[in-house]
Amino acid sequence: MGHRYCLTLDLVDDDSLIAEYEKYHEAIWPEIHKSITDYGITNMEIYRFDVRLFMIMETDDSFSFEKKAAADAANAKVQEWEALMWKYQQPVKGALKGEKWVLMDKIFAL
Protein backbone atom coordinates (compact mmCIF):
# COMPACT_ATOMS: atom_id res chain seq x y z
CA MET A 1 0.00 0.00 0.00
CA GLY A 2 1.49 3.30 -1.03
CA HIS A 3 0.98 6.85 0.08
CA ARG A 4 -0.34 10.01 -1.53
CA TYR A 5 1.23 13.39 -0.84
CA CYS A 6 -0.02 16.78 -1.98
CA LEU A 7 2.39 19.68 -2.31
CA THR A 8 2.16 23.28 -3.46
CA LEU A 9 4.43 25.91 -4.96
CA ASP A 10 3.97 29.23 -6.76
CA LEU A 11 5.33 30.34 -10.09
CA VAL A 12 6.75 33.75 -10.85
CA ASP A 13 3.86 35.88 -12.10
CA ASP A 14 5.04 36.28 -15.69
CA ASP A 15 3.12 34.75 -18.60
CA SER A 16 6.20 34.07 -20.72
CA LEU A 17 8.03 32.37 -17.84
CA ILE A 18 4.96 30.28 -17.04
CA ALA A 19 4.79 29.18 -20.69
CA GLU A 20 8.49 28.19 -20.59
CA TYR A 21 7.96 26.28 -17.34
CA GLU A 22 5.06 24.33 -18.83
CA LYS A 23 7.10 23.60 -21.97
CA TYR A 24 9.87 22.04 -19.84
CA HIS A 25 7.26 19.83 -18.19
CA GLU A 26 5.86 18.56 -21.49
CA ALA A 27 9.02 16.42 -21.74
CA ILE A 28 11.13 16.43 -18.59
CA TRP A 29 14.75 15.40 -18.92
CA PRO A 30 15.21 11.59 -18.86
CA GLU A 31 17.52 11.89 -15.84
CA ILE A 32 14.79 13.71 -13.93
CA HIS A 33 12.22 11.05 -14.80
CA LYS A 34 14.66 8.38 -13.60
CA SER A 35 15.38 10.27 -10.37
CA ILE A 36 11.65 10.39 -9.66
CA THR A 37 10.83 6.75 -10.38
CA ASP A 38 14.00 5.23 -8.89
CA TYR A 39 13.09 6.38 -5.38
CA GLY A 40 9.60 5.00 -4.98
CA ILE A 41 7.44 7.63 -6.67
CA THR A 42 4.92 5.71 -8.74
CA ASN A 43 2.80 8.58 -10.03
CA MET A 44 3.17 12.33 -10.11
CA GLU A 45 0.83 14.97 -11.49
CA ILE A 46 1.11 18.75 -11.38
CA TYR A 47 -1.85 21.08 -11.84
CA ARG A 48 -1.80 24.85 -12.22
CA PHE A 49 -4.24 27.64 -11.46
CA ASP A 50 -2.81 31.06 -12.28
CA VAL A 51 0.58 31.00 -10.49
CA ARG A 52 -0.32 28.28 -7.96
CA LEU A 53 0.93 24.75 -8.60
CA PHE A 54 -0.51 21.66 -6.94
CA MET A 55 1.35 18.35 -7.06
CA ILE A 56 -0.15 14.95 -6.32
CA MET A 57 2.57 12.39 -5.67
CA GLU A 58 1.87 8.71 -5.12
CA THR A 59 4.59 6.50 -3.72
CA ASP A 60 5.31 2.95 -2.80
CA ASP A 61 6.37 1.92 0.70
CA SER A 62 10.08 2.37 -0.09
CA PHE A 63 9.72 6.14 -0.52
CA SER A 64 10.96 8.66 2.03
CA PHE A 65 11.45 12.39 1.64
CA GLU A 66 14.84 12.09 3.38
CA LYS A 67 16.18 9.41 1.01
CA LYS A 68 14.90 11.33 -2.02
CA ALA A 69 16.47 14.59 -0.82
CA ALA A 70 19.83 12.89 -0.20
CA ALA A 71 19.78 11.24 -3.63
CA ASP A 72 18.84 14.54 -5.30
CA ALA A 73 21.63 16.40 -3.51
CA ALA A 74 24.15 13.87 -4.86
CA ASN A 75 22.81 13.97 -8.44
CA ALA A 76 24.38 16.74 -10.55
CA LYS A 77 21.67 16.56 -13.22
CA VAL A 78 18.89 16.93 -10.63
CA GLN A 79 20.75 19.90 -9.15
CA GLU A 80 21.02 21.45 -12.63
CA TRP A 81 17.27 20.95 -13.18
CA GLU A 82 16.38 22.39 -9.78
CA ALA A 83 18.57 25.46 -10.35
CA LEU A 84 16.90 26.00 -13.71
CA MET A 85 13.40 25.59 -12.23
CA TRP A 86 14.08 28.29 -9.60
CA LYS A 87 13.98 30.78 -12.50
CA TYR A 88 10.25 30.07 -12.71
CA GLN A 89 9.34 29.20 -9.12
CA GLN A 90 8.86 31.12 -5.91
CA PRO A 91 8.03 29.83 -2.46
CA VAL A 92 4.52 30.02 -1.07
CA LYS A 93 3.81 32.10 2.01
CA GLY A 94 5.02 30.20 5.06
CA ALA A 95 7.68 28.14 3.24
CA LEU A 96 11.02 27.80 4.97
CA LYS A 97 14.03 29.56 3.46
CA GLY A 98 15.13 27.65 0.35
CA GLU A 99 12.09 25.38 0.48
CA LYS A 100 10.34 24.75 -2.82
CA TRP A 101 7.44 22.33 -2.80
CA VAL A 102 5.60 22.49 0.52
CA LEU A 103 3.69 19.51 1.86
CA MET A 104 -0.01 20.28 2.32
CA ASP A 105 -2.17 19.05 5.18
CA LYS A 106 -5.16 16.92 4.32
CA ILE A 107 -8.22 18.54 5.88
CA PHE A 108 -11.07 16.59 4.26
CA ALA A 109 -11.78 13.21 2.70
CA LEU A 110 -15.05 11.75 1.45
Side-chain angles (χ1 to χ4, degrees):
M1 174 78 183
H3 301 278
R4 177 180 296 142
Y5 301 98
C6 297
L7 301 100
T8 191
L9 174 75
D10 283 347
L11 294 174
V12 173
D13 192 1
D14 179 295
D15 290 341
S16 63
L17 290 177
I18 290 170
E20 284 179 32
Y21 184 83
E22 288 186 353
K23 191 76 172 162
Y24 273 111
H25 284 80
E26 287 175 9
I28 62 172
W29 300 347
E31 300 90 347
I32 302 309
H33 185 275
K34 183 172 174 25
S35 78
I36 291 169
T37 58
D38 280 359
Y39 288 91
I41 299 171
T42 58
N43 188 45
M44 179 182 282
E45 297 175 344
I46 299 175
Y47 297 85
R48 180 177 74 83
F49 175 76
D50 194 38
V51 299
R52 179 66 39 99
L53 297 179
F54 174 68
M55 178 194 293
I56 301 171
M57 187 171 74
E58 295 175 348
T59 69
D60 63 26
D61 290 333
S62 71
F63 175 81
S64 87
F65 283 102
E66 296 78 17
K67 285 193 298 190
K68 179 72 170 99
D72 288 351
N75 184 321
K77 203 64 173 176
V78 170
Q79 292 304 304
E80 180 183 351
W81 173 266
E82 292 299 334
L84 175 62
M85 292 301 107
W86 262 127
K87 173 182 176 181
Y88 309 102
Q89 300 168 331
Q90 59 183 355
V92 295
K93 179 182 175 188
L96 301 175
K97 184 171 176 55
E99 188 175 35
K100 286 184 153 202
W101 289 97
V102 176
L103 192 59
M104 301 175 78
D105 294 325
K106 182 178 176 180
I107 63 165
F108 176 79
L110 184 61

